[in-house]
Amino acid sequence: MQVNTLTRALLGWITFLGMSSVAKSFARITTPRCARAALWSRGWRQLSSKQQATSTSNSVARSSTYTYGLGWRNTRSGTSFHPNEPRCVRLRGGSVGTQMSTTATSDTTHTSPATVNDTPQHTKDESNALNRLRAIMSSHDVSALIIPSEEPHLSEYAPLAYRRRAFISAFTGSAGTALVTAGDDDEVGAAHLWTDGRYFLEASMQLSSDWVLQKSGVGDTPTLEQFLRDLVVRSAATNMRIGLDPMVHSTKFVHELQASFHEATGCELYFCDTNWIDDVWGLDRPPLPSSPFRIHPPQYAGLNISEKVSILLESMHTNGANLLVLSALDDVAWLFNLRASGDVPCCPVGVSYATLAAEEDTGTHQLTLYCEDTKIVDADVERQLRDANVRIRPYDSIVPDLQHYAALSLETNQQKVVWMDSATTNYALTRAVTPPANGNNKRPITILDKQCPIAPLKACKNPAELAGMKQAHYYDGAAMANFAGWLTNQLTQPNFRISEVELD
């Protein structure tokens, strides 16, 4: 291939990535400088100084650095595939813990951004882990356990301590759902993993022979719900239990699963009190995130906490809501003008929840932040929260507090409306505010299942945020121009070799 042709192709690819980042940034938290610009610059400097990137492992490590973003949630979007691809594959002697995280569809190949260097270490035997998990399932009379990629806040990229699906399966791609059944033979179903075409190659390399790869979107591959319904039909059990941890499944998913089993006889959902993967993981599990918060300066945020709360209270009043529950990490970060580095790789958010309670009768409100004490160690952070009259509660208190809110409503016979987006809120929180009906068959809590009011506020940016975005793209453009110039110059060198994977 001629140098000019290769250069034009690479520059076109770079331009496409830049345009994609601009489009995606409108749904993210505004930051004073685009992290991607700095990372591109750093990658350019590293390449130009070393002038070598021949190692696949090094290139994959660099590509993971470029996984910037703010907790985009997993949409499980569909992908087109080659019609002759097999819909599922029983792996035979798969390579566990492979460092090469190349993924592919029928016409594309790229590297999974969150699968190298920041993944759980697989120091256990996969078969033994499955056997121990099945022993726990048997003790609770559970026939199948659903293990998603998500964590309690349903972020796409989970902190290391919450990468349970990656631990039990050794598949480190960012999208996928595992199903472990009580049996280990093909008739019952063994252990299955659903993922899309981006990760077929990676999954086939990393899954062991204990697993069946279900290729979503290929041929007649059943969905997870369809597979479970078929499993109920094939099972000889009179009362089949499907287990799941309500803390890591969205309310929307649970409702859809319940609807799919509505007419199925002999099947029920079993909500685990704890996550059984953690019991199997044991002491090898990474520590829970504890990175401290830092202030997102007002000159970049545009609005302080009190001003943002006023906007949310007006929206709550319009929709008749008494309590707003915030679970998505980027929503919490936006409201409190806080950022953190370290909880989620490449995402400047901190693990936390928030609630905003409004009392129409008294005209008062209470804003509560649920996080660990280790996150509020900076004096400026503490002062900012105190000035906004924010109540700080332990992270694990969110469920008991919601249960208390519902119990108080039942005790005082007051109807309350709780605003919770079923797509971004885990089912454990929804369950906490929806206790059984009282003697009059009247529930004290009504769930307002509607998009979080913060989403449009993040999309329609204020003047300060717009200025910050423009400034970020100046840096971004300069970094990309520098990189393109370096690449054009390097491609003319006789001994220079680089692949698209190393360049990513």
Side-chain angles (χ1 to χ4, degrees):
M1 179 184 293
Q2 294 182 354
V3 173
N4 290 340
T5 304
L6 178 59
T7 302
R8 285 196 297 270
L10 290 173
L11 289 179
W13 173 76
I14 294 170
T15 304
F16 169 75
L17 287 184
M19 293 176 65
S20 298
S21 69
V22 173
K24 291 179 180 179
S25 64
F26 279 98
R28 299 177 181 169
I29 306 172
T30 301
T31 52
R33 292 186 180 181
C34 183
R36 178 167 154 269
L39 294 174
W40 266 101
S41 299
R42 182 168 63 188
W44 167 69
R45 289 195 300 271
Q46 290 174 348
L47 280 172
S48 59
S49 61
K50 298 180 180 179
Q51 293 191 2
Q52 59 179 9
T54 57
S55 169
T56 301
S57 60
N58 287 343
S59 67
V60 173
R62 272 198 306 276
S63 69
S64 66
T65 306
Y66 298 145
T67 345
Y68 57 94
L70 295 173
W72 277 81
R73 287 174 279 286
N74 186 355
T75 59
R76 296 187 178 89
S77 58
T79 311
S80 58
F81 309 103
H82 193 282
N84 295 326
E85 270 194 277
R87 67 178 182 84
C88 66
V89 179
R90 182 65 183 253
L91 282 304
R92 301 295 180 188
S95 175
V96 176
T98 306
Q99 285 298 309
M100 176 80 172
S101 64
T102 304
T103 61
T105 62
S106 57
D107 59 354
T108 60
T109 301
H110 67 91
T111 303
S112 173
T115 60
V116 178
N117 295 340
D118 58 355
T119 57
Q121 297 299 312
H122 302 289
T123 58
K124 45 82 183 110
D125 179 80
E126 267 67 19
S127 295
N128 288 339
L130 284 174
N131 290 336
R132 281 180 284 159
L133 179 60
R134 286 184 172 120
I136 298 175
M137 293 167 57
S138 178
S139 67
H140 291 83
D141 196 24
V142 168
S143 303
L145 180 68
I146 305 173
I147 308 166
S149 303
E150 290 82 1
E151 35 75 84
H153 304 274
L154 310 180
S155 305
E156 181 176 2
Y157 300 117
L160 297 182
Y162 291 120
R163 297 187 183 180
R164 298 170 173 122
R165 188 226 61 219
F167 165 79
I168 198 65
S169 68
F171 168 63
T172 56
S174 63
T177 301
L179 177 72
V180 176
T181 62
D184 57 359
D185 55 79
D186 288 334
E187 184 66 26
V188 177
H192 293 253
L193 176 82
W194 276 261
T195 190
D196 60 59
R198 297 171 296 168
Y199 301 99
F200 288 169
L201 179 57
E202 180 178 359
S204 64
M205 293 171 64
Q206 294 181 332
L207 293 176
S208 72
S209 57
D210 295 313
W211 290 82
V212 175
L213 173 59
Q214 297 284 355
K215 296 184 175 182
S216 299
V218 173
D220 58 348
T221 302
T223 63
L224 176 64
E225 294 84 350
Q226 292 170 340
F227 184 89
L228 287 173
R229 286 199 301 268
D230 293 342
L231 191 63
V232 172
V233 174
R234 289 179 301 173
S235 175
T238 57
N239 187 22
M240 185 175 181
R241 277 183 166 185
I242 308 297
L244 55 84
D245 178 3
M247 288 294 294
V248 295
H249 291 276
S250 71
T251 300
K252 182 180 179 180
F253 171 78
V254 173
H255 287 168
E256 290 174 349
L257 199 60
Q258 290 172 331
S260 66
F261 290 151
H262 180 67
E263 298 180 355
T265 58
C267 180
E268 66 171 318
L269 291 182
Y270 178 81
F271 299 107
C272 309
D273 293 331
T274 61
N275 195 291
W276 296 341
I277 303 297
D278 296 345
D279 297 332
V280 177
W281 210 339
L283 297 178
D284 290 332
R285 185 189 181 198
L288 293 174
S290 59
S291 303
F293 282 127
R294 69 174 189 273
I295 295 293
H296 182 54
Q299 62 265 34
Y300 300 122
L303 298 172
N304 59 36
I305 300 177
S306 298
E307 291 170 328
K308 293 181 177 181
V309 167
S310 298
I311 298 174
L312 294 180
L313 288 174
E314 183 178 350
S315 183
M316 291 172 64
H317 175 75
T318 302
N319 289 273
N322 304 105
L323 180 68
L324 174 64
V325 179
L326 301 178
S327 178
L329 299 182
D330 50 332
D331 290 344
V332 178
W334 180 89
L335 175 58
F336 292 94
N337 290 336
L338 295 176
R339 302 292 185 266
S341 300
D343 280 9
V344 182
C346 306
C347 300
V349 293
V351 174
S352 54
Y353 294 102
T355 59
L356 177 58
E359 295 295 337
E360 293 286 344
D361 298 338
T362 60
T364 60
H365 68 271
Q366 179 62 65
L367 180 61
T368 305
L369 175 64
Y370 292 87
C371 65
E372 298 297 343
D373 293 339
T374 55
K375 307 197 80 61
I376 306 178
V377 294
D378 185 271
D380 292 335
V381 171
E382 185 177 2
R383 185 183 309 107
Q384 175 174 288
L385 296 176
R386 184 175 60 251
D387 292 345
N389 296 317
V390 177
R391 183 178 63 164
I392 309 299
R393 293 280 291 153
Y395 177 77
D396 291 331
S397 296
I398 179 70
V399 171
D401 282 3
L402 290 177
Q403 291 173 335
H404 176 73
Y405 185 85
L408 187 61
S409 300
L410 180 62
E411 181 181 335
T412 58
N413 198 29
Q414 292 182 331
Q415 284 292 116
K416 298 291 185 179
V417 177
V418 178
W419 192 337
M420 307 174 84
D421 185 348
S422 63
T424 62
T425 305
N426 69 61
Y427 187 65
L429 302 187
T430 303
R431 239 178 125 209
V433 295
T434 53
N438 57 23
N440 297 324
N441 199 32
K442 184 178 181 181
R443 295 183 183 274
I445 298 293
T446 300
I447 299 295
L448 175 61
D449 183 4
K450 189 175 181 180
Q451 182 188 59
C452 176
I454 289 180
L457 296 175
K458 290 188 299 180
C460 301
K461 302 188 180 300
N462 60 55
E465 291 173 326
L466 288 174
M469 174 174 282
K470 291 178 181 179
Q471 187 67 20
H473 282 86
Y474 294 151
Y475 286 98
D476 184 81
M480 291 178 65
N482 285 335
F483 172 76
W486 168 84
L487 180 61
T488 302
N489 179 66
Q490 292 298 313
L491 288 174
T492 62
Q493 305 302 315
N495 296 324
F496 181 77
R497 297 290 185 272
I498 191 169
S499 71
E500 67 275 14
V501 175
E502 293 169 322
L503 188 63
D504 187 5

